[in-house]
Amino acid sequence: MAGQFAKPRSEPDEVRDGVSLPSYRGDIVNNEEFTPDARRNRPFNMVEAYHQSSQTINILRAFAHGGYADISRLHAWNLDFVENTPEGSRYR
C-alpha cells in the first residue's frame, strides 16, 4: 500500500542494443531510465522511500482514527471523485 520500491531481478545486468547496464532494481535502488547515470545505485533513494512510506502509513492512521475510514462512509468515498462533475449530481 505504501509503494513497491524494490524489485528483485534474475540478472544483474540488462542489455539493449549491445549496451550492458545494471538492471533496474526499483526506485529505492536506482532509476528506470536506461542510462549509465540513472542505473547507478542511489542510497539516498532509501531515505526518500522511508519518508514516502511513513507519510502513507501516517495518513492511513489519521483516516482510521478520525472516522474517515469507517465502513459506513463507503458511499462517501466513492462519491469524492465525482463530487464536482455533472454525473456526480445524480448521486447527491
Side-chain angles (χ1 to χ4, degrees), residues 1 13 21 40-41 52 59 61 72-73 75-76 92:
M1 184 172 282
D13 295 315
L21 293 175
R40 280 188 313 111
N41 289 344
Q52 290 173 7
I59 198 164
R61 280 190 196 116
S72 66
R73 290 196 32 87
H75 188 65
R92 287 186 211 122

Side-chain angles (χ1 to χ4, degrees), residues 35-53:
T35 65
D37 185 54
R39 294 299 176 92
R40 280 188 313 111
N41 289 344
R42 300 180 178 280
F44 188 73
N45 288 8
M46 288 186 204
V47 176
E48 290 181 358
Y50 168 80
H51 288 296
Q52 290 173 7
S53 296

Side-chain angles (χ1 to χ4, degrees), residues 26-90:
D27 294 337
I28 197 169
V29 178
N30 58 9
N31 295 333
E32 191 172 4
E33 185 182 352
F34 194 74
T35 65
D37 185 54
R39 294 299 176 92
R40 280 188 313 111
N41 289 344
R42 300 180 178 280
F44 188 73
N45 288 8
M46 288 186 204
V47 176
E48 290 181 358
Y50 168 80
H51 288 296
Q52 290 173 7
S53 296
S54 64
Q55 289 170 357
T56 301
I57 197 69
N58 285 338
I59 198 164
L60 291 173
R61 280 190 196 116
F63 286 159
H65 293 300
Y68 189 79
D70 189 328
I71 198 69
S72 66
R73 290 196 32 87
L74 182 60
H75 188 65
W77 301 345
N78 292 330
L79 290 179
D80 283 350
F81 75 98
V82 294
E83 185 174 1
N84 296 317
T85 67
E87 295 82 6
S89 65
R90 295 184 307 186

